[in-house]
Amino acid sequence: MFKVKGTVKNEESEQLIGVRVSIKDTKLSATTNNDGTFEFNLKGGNYTFVFSNLGYFDKQETVTISALKPNELSFVLERNLQTLEQVIVQDQISRNTGMIRIDAKLATSNPNISQSFESILKQLPGVSTNNELSSQYSVRGGNFDENLIYINDVEIYKPYLVRNGQQEGLSLINPDLVSNVKFSSGGFTPRYGDKLSSVLDVQYKTTDSVKYTLGIGTNGLSATAFFNHKKISGAVGYRNKQNRFILNAQPVIGAYNPQFYDLQGVLNYQLNKNNSISFFGVYNTSKFGLVPESRTTEFGTLNQILRLNIDYEGQEQDEYSNIVSSVTLNSQLNKNASLKWINSMFLITEKENFDIYGQYVFDEIDNDFGGGNFGQIKANRGIGAYQTFGRNELRADVFASEVKFNYSTKKSFWESGLRFQYDKVADNLKEFELIDSAGFSIPNNFQDFQITQSVDVANSVNTLRYSAYVQNTTDLTPQLTFTGGLRLNYNNYTKEFIPSPRMVFAYTPKNHEQTVYRFSTGLYVQPPFYREARNFDGSLNLNSKSQKSLHFILGREATFDGLGTKLNFLIEAYYKSLFNLTPYNIENLRVRYYADQTAKGYATGIDFRINGEFVKDLESSFRLSIMKTAEDIEGDSFTQTNVNGGTETVFPGFIKRPTDQRVNFSAFFQDRLFNSPTYKVHMNLLYGSKLPTGPPASPRYQQTYNIPAYRRLDIGFSKDILDPESRHKPRLLDKYLKSFIVYAEVFNLLNINNTVSYLWVTDVNNIKFAIPNFLTSRQLNVRLITKF
């Protein structure tokens, strides 16, 4: 065997990153590193190397490998100026503007119980989460509603009524179809839309070297097919998720019936060498059924152990469906100019029907190891009843048309766009919650029962939105690059016309081309999309205004040699000045806004990340984020009695925001077994410090309770039976398949009880207790992925 090293460059002798290199008639492939290099271990003989990279013509070159010739090779790719000249410029723009490129393959190897593509975002700077059943995430102090997500330039909307991870089905992003992924934790450029926190930009592919992929496991199945015939290319993906065995291990015992399905397709038709039409479509549906029977929850401390037993009656039936479609005209006007016209619709239908009644007993447990009653009931702390009722239905239709025009010159790249959007929302809410935990033992003095979270409204909102942007990327000096521009938006709900300037400076020191320093700043505006304007009682604030955030981000990114490989180190410090905020609560996954209140605030912190192939062809990453976010709500003063018996007005001032998670640490590490390199280990470690919370519908300044720190370790083992390094391959499988990968995963390896929210009850002494709602316990998962 000979170690073959190669370098891929363009015609200007620039090293090319991310070029796919494969060897014809074999299953060997690699991707060039940050210095444009790749490696293979080959026997002597003749080999045909195949190169492909976006923006360049495919290339094949035959090389002889022997001990008599040097096996350090160099290859040059020719640019495809007719169609994709601007793609090369955009790739450099991504690095200079702080967009992090994500390897889509990590979604397959990352052990996660939710099976969502967004799970890999938890490894990125500034991202935090405390619910492994959900694809929702928060970024640098923002909530779930503040993140932009695009698939093929179509903005994606998250569920609105969903209230916990049990109900949430498949994420709209299908990992098997993903080609390119970019992510920004803040400071993104004007080409991206109007949200406060982050942007995730996903592009699907219509061709792939693998024609068919089939995955099956205890959590469901997936199938993907790619096709290519003359001028038509495309792909179809189907997914089915089965969460029943996971939900059966939840604290609430009952009959779970989750049914999650997803069908997606992409199609591209090449009209001629300069023009094409592409189609993107999604049908995604989640049906959730539950007939609860009982629940037992123990919690407390070593000094006091408490137990809650609930017997249930009733059921829950929910359905959430999304239909997405878009038609895009792509036109290469000349070698420097391109035009894209995108027409899309996003149809959301969500229904919730639940009526669950529970009778409970709240006891204190004897914790005296030396006594004869250890583990038995020491005292009854209360009995009560609990009821939740809902008949909710939401329909949201979003129609949009957008034109994008790009123009490149030798030293700069111009981007512009004009977008029109019409959205209509019809919302019918009928729900209430009743907890009567003290009425049996504490006289209510003939007062009425207090029903919390009672809503009975029907809202309808139609909104016209207009937006436009222009931005330019140019080299001010050989070392200094500027990307900046202006975004404009107007909507007829708030009747605000708001300019949003944004800019990024990137400096690459001379003779240190693998290091870049970045400074980003800009104004980010988020007009309300119905939910931000809806109060707790369901009424709409017709005077709602757009929330605003001013970003300041300073960062450094460097690629260097270390531990025998190429490593990438990123550090970013940031400060976000927040104003005209709408305060909110987070109840599990449901964001509820105090729409009639406004606040000012801030978020500040620092992120560290190092990633690279610590083991050949297996990328790992380690991330540490430290953050603080707070807000000052206007007019939230209250009156209290002082020590002298008089009263005084108290102004809470700045208080923690619901997403004030001070520390987040994540590690995703992959390795091979030393004596059996075809066996791989994938470890996912997450830690998030405590989060503030409080009783539902209470004033924000009263929410001084904390959800404990989130800790989780997932581990997976995989074996590709057809790995090129396998010594014994089944002939039949090797003849027809490209890979046959078996995964065995253990979720929540340490079986930690992570808390996601609380049920609040009152004991006989009228003392409130927060009963924790726990997330998933330890689970075993097995899956199989085959590629043809």
Side-chain angles (χ1 to χ4, degrees):
M1 300 287 286
F2 302 100
K3 178 172 283 189
V4 179
K5 295 183 178 181
T7 302
V8 182
K9 300 180 179 180
N10 60 20
E11 296 158 303
E12 287 77 31
S13 297
E14 298 171 335
Q15 297 165 335
L16 298 180
I17 304 170
V19 179
R20 180 176 175 81
V21 185
S22 60
I23 299 179
K24 195 173 182 179
D25 299 326
T26 75
K27 298 175 182 178
L28 298 175
S29 65
T31 302
T32 56
N33 299 317
N34 290 328
D35 58 354
T37 62
F38 65 90
E39 286 186 8
F40 286 110
N41 291 319
L42 301 173
K43 298 179 180 178
N46 294 325
Y47 295 90
T48 300
F49 288 79
V50 181
F51 303 89
S52 61
N53 191 39
L54 199 61
Y56 292 85
F57 288 108
D58 291 348
K59 180 176 183 175
Q60 295 188 20
E61 188 167 331
T62 302
V63 176
T64 301
I65 305 300
S66 71
L68 301 177
K69 299 180 64 177
N71 293 320
E72 293 196 7
L73 312 173
S74 181
F75 304 92
V76 177
L77 298 189
E78 180 185 353
R79 291 189 180 187
N80 185 351
L81 297 176
Q82 290 184 333
T83 59
L84 293 170
E85 169 68 21
Q86 70 275 14
V87 174
I88 310 305
V89 182
Q90 287 178 323
D91 188 69
Q92 185 65 24
I93 291 175
S94 297
R95 182 171 183 262
N96 288 339
T97 56
M99 298 290 289
I100 298 175
R101 288 195 170 273
I102 304 172
D103 187 351
K105 294 183 295 184
L106 297 178
T108 301
S109 57
N110 184 10
N112 76 92
I113 202 168
S114 70
Q115 302 180 54
S116 69
F117 181 86
E118 289 89 336
S119 64
I120 63 177
L121 301 182
K122 301 173 187 178
Q123 309 296 332
L124 299 182
V127 181
S128 62
T129 183
N130 70 327
N131 192 332
E132 66 271 4
L133 286 175
S134 172
S135 62
Q136 307 275 23
Y137 57 94
S138 62
V139 179
R140 290 179 175 172
N143 68 35
F144 308 139
D145 295 337
E146 297 178 13
N147 305 309
L148 283 164
I149 301 177
Y150 295 96
I151 302 179
N152 285 7
D153 298 313
V154 177
E155 185 172 348
I156 300 300
Y157 297 88
K158 290 288 189 176
Y160 281 81
L161 295 181
V162 65
R163 62 189 64 218
N164 65 58
Q166 296 175 349
Q167 304 161 340
E168 188 174 327
L170 286 157
S171 160
L172 280 177
I173 303 174
N174 186 333
D176 293 334
L177 298 176
V178 171
S179 172
N180 299 306
V181 187
K182 294 182 291 185
F183 178 79
S184 172
S185 299
F188 44 90
T189 56
R191 72 185 301 266
Y192 295 111
D194 301 302
K195 290 290 180 74
L196 296 183
S197 294
S198 73
V199 59
L200 176 65
D201 187 354
V202 178
Q203 295 292 326
Y204 278 1
K205 54 190 174 184
T206 57
T207 58
D208 194 83
S209 58
V210 176
K211 288 187 176 181
Y212 307 101
T213 300
L214 175 65
I216 187 169
T218 50
N219 272 5
L221 61 88
S222 64
T224 308
F226 290 88
F227 56 90
N228 195 335
H229 179 70
K230 295 182 179 179
K231 295 184 177 182
I232 300 178
S233 62
V236 176
Y238 170 79
R239 295 180 293 167
N240 166 243
K241 179 180 176 182
Q242 295 293 333
N243 260 12
R244 187 176 287 107
F245 90 102
I246 295 172
L247 299 178
N248 284 337
Q250 291 281 271
V252 175
I253 298 174
Y256 289 90
N257 184 28
Q259 301 177 49
F260 306 139
Y261 302 97
D262 179 85
L263 179 65
Q264 302 193 21
V266 285
L267 180 69
N268 186 73
Y269 179 74
Q270 196 71 35
L271 298 171
N272 51 52
K273 67 177 183 178
N274 292 326
N275 299 283
S276 66
I277 294 179
S278 59
F279 168 80
F280 165 57
V282 177
Y283 176 73
N284 180 290
T285 182
S286 303
K287 296 181 180 181
F288 176 80
L290 169 62
V291 181
E293 297 174 2
S294 65
R295 163 183 170 173
T296 299
T297 303
E298 286 194 0
F299 64 103
T301 64
L302 291 176
N303 297 324
Q304 185 183 50
I305 300 177
L306 301 171
R307 178 189 295 161
L308 179 74
N309 289 292
I310 307 179
D311 291 324
Y312 290 106
E313 296 178 5
Q315 64 176 323
E316 178 178 356
Q317 294 290 334
D318 306 321
E319 182 176 354
Y320 312 89
S321 65
N322 297 283
I323 297 175
V324 187
S325 67
S326 71
V327 176
T328 302
L329 172 65
N330 303 282
S331 180
Q332 191 70 37
L333 304 178
N334 54 53
K335 71 175 185 178
N336 294 325
S338 65
L339 182 72
K340 182 180 287 189
W341 183 24
I342 308 162
N343 297 278
S344 64
M345 72 173 185
F346 199 118
L347 309 180
I348 304 169
T349 303
E350 302 183 8
K351 299 178 181 180
E352 290 184 329
N353 297 281
F354 53 89
D355 189 358
I356 298 175
Y357 177 78
Q359 295 177 327
Y360 65 83
V361 179
F362 185 32
D363 296 316
E364 184 176 351
I365 307 302
D366 194 313
N367 62 345
D368 183 5
F369 287 96
N373 297 319
F374 176 76
Q376 299 182 20
I377 297 175
K378 179 180 179 180
N380 177 259
R381 301 300 298 267
I383 59 177
Y386 168 84
Q387 184 178 6
T388 58
F389 173 91
R391 295 291 185 272
N392 302 327
E393 182 174 353
L394 180 141
R395 176 70 184 261
D397 300 336
V398 181
F399 304 92
S401 182
E402 181 174 14
V403 177
K404 294 185 175 184
F405 176 75
N406 297 338
Y407 182 78
S408 62
T409 65
K410 289 184 178 181
K411 292 188 177 182
S412 66
F413 182 62
W414 288 91
E415 300 176 77
S416 60
L418 180 64
R419 176 184 173 90
F420 166 77
Q421 177 177 315
Y422 171 68
D423 50 65
K424 58 179 181 177
V425 179
D427 186 19
N428 289 280
L429 284 173
K430 296 180 182 292
E431 67 177 31
F432 70 83
E433 181 176 294
L434 168 65
I435 301 178
D436 181 23
S437 55
F440 292 98
S441 55
I442 300 176
N444 65 6
N445 298 321
F446 303 101
Q447 295 179 3
D448 294 334
F449 288 113
Q450 296 298 312
I451 298 178
T452 63
Q453 303 184 33
S454 175
V455 180
D456 185 359
V457 298
N459 293 323
S460 179
V461 179
N462 298 341
T463 309
L464 293 172
R465 304 176 190 271
Y466 308 88
S467 61
Y469 71 90
V470 60
Q471 76 176 52
N472 175 245
T473 299
T474 186
D475 294 329
L476 301 178
T477 71
Q479 280 75 49
L480 183 63
T481 299
F482 168 79
T483 301
L486 183 67
R487 186 173 186 89
L488 305 171
N489 76 74
Y490 173 83
N491 70 87
N492 67 347
Y493 187 88
T494 65
K495 296 180 173 57
E496 297 172 291
F497 177 79
I498 305 176
S500 175
R502 308 172 190 176
M503 62 189 71
V504 184
F505 293 92
Y507 176 74
T508 302
K510 195 172 183 180
N511 302 323
H512 293 84
E513 296 181 356
Q514 300 301 317
T515 300
V516 59
Y517 294 88
R518 289 187 297 265
F519 173 72
S520 308
T521 186
L523 178 65
Y524 297 84
V525 178
Q526 182 165 324
F529 188 90
Y530 177 65
R531 186 156 61 172
E532 295 96 320
R534 192 183 76 190
N535 282 295
F536 275 55
D537 62 1
S539 63
L540 292 178
N541 180 5
L542 300 180
N543 296 317
S544 291
K545 298 299 179 182
S546 301
Q547 302 182 82
K548 302 177 181 67
S549 177
L550 186 59
H551 292 197
F552 300 93
I553 301 172
L554 183 63
R556 177 182 183 269
E557 185 175 0
T559 301
F560 60 95
D561 293 318
L563 302 178
T565 185
K566 288 283 185 182
L567 299 177
N568 182 267
F569 178 72
L570 171 69
I571 178 173
E572 283 190 339
Y574 61 90
Y575 179 84
K576 298 196 295 187
S577 177
L578 311 171
F579 46 101
N580 202 51
L581 294 176
T582 304
Y584 60 88
N585 266 349
I586 296 181
E587 300 170 3
N588 200 330
L589 289 180
R590 184 165 62 165
V591 181
R592 305 188 69 187
Y593 290 90
Y594 299 84
D596 56 351
Q597 300 181 27
T598 58
K600 62 181 179 180
Y602 65 88
T604 185
I606 188 168
D607 297 318
F608 305 87
R609 181 176 186 251
I610 185 168
N611 65 293
E613 294 184 357
F614 296 93
V615 178
K616 187 178 182 299
D617 296 330
L618 296 176
E619 182 176 340
S620 300
S621 65
F622 300 86
R623 184 267 305 212
L624 174 65
S625 296
I626 301 171
M627 184 269 298
K628 180 181 179 181
T629 182
E631 64 186 0
D632 183 5
I633 302 174
E634 295 180 7
D636 62 341
S637 61
F638 62 95
T639 302
Q640 70 176 16
T641 303
N642 58 33
V643 293
N644 298 321
T647 60
E648 61 179 345
T649 301
V650 178
F651 297 90
F654 279 93
I655 57 177
K656 297 178 180 178
R657 304 195 80 198
T659 51
D660 183 54
Q661 197 168 37
R662 298 293 174 88
V663 179
N664 268 278
F665 174 80
S666 62
F668 176 58
F669 185 73
Q670 300 187 93
D671 200 356
R672 301 176 188 268
L673 297 186
F674 183 73
N675 294 322
S676 303
T678 59
Y679 288 88
K680 301 170 185 176
V681 182
H682 320 275
M683 184 189 73
N684 185 29
L685 174 65
L686 296 170
Y687 171 83
S689 60
K690 61 186 180 181
L691 280 165
T693 189
S698 61
R700 282 278 296 113
Y701 61 80
Q702 291 184 0
Q703 298 178 11
T704 57
Y705 203 71
N706 289 312
I707 294 176
Y710 180 83
R711 298 158 295 163
R712 187 174 181 88
L713 174 63
D714 302 314
I715 191 167
F717 303 88
S718 67
K719 161 74 172 178
D720 186 353
I721 297 175
L722 302 180
D723 192 291
E725 297 185 19
S726 294
R727 297 179 181 178
H728 305 287
K729 302 179 185 178
R731 292 184 178 180
L732 184 62
L733 295 179
D734 193 38
K735 181 178 180 181
Y736 294 103
L737 303 179
K738 289 190 174 183
S739 65
F740 191 91
I741 310 173
V742 180
Y743 288 89
E745 300 166 324
V746 182
F747 302 134
N748 196 2
L749 179 66
L750 303 180
N751 202 28
I752 297 171
N753 282 331
N754 285 306
T755 301
V756 67
S757 62
Y758 291 99
L759 171 65
W760 294 82
V761 300
T762 307
D763 71 355
V764 294
N765 298 315
N766 207 24
I767 300 174
K768 284 190 175 183
F769 285 85
I771 314 298
N773 295 314
F774 295 125
L775 286 163
T776 56
S777 57
R778 184 188 295 121
Q779 297 286 333
L780 174 66
N781 182 53
V782 178
R783 56 193 174 104
L784 169 68
I785 297 178
T786 60
K787 297 181 180 180
F788 301 80

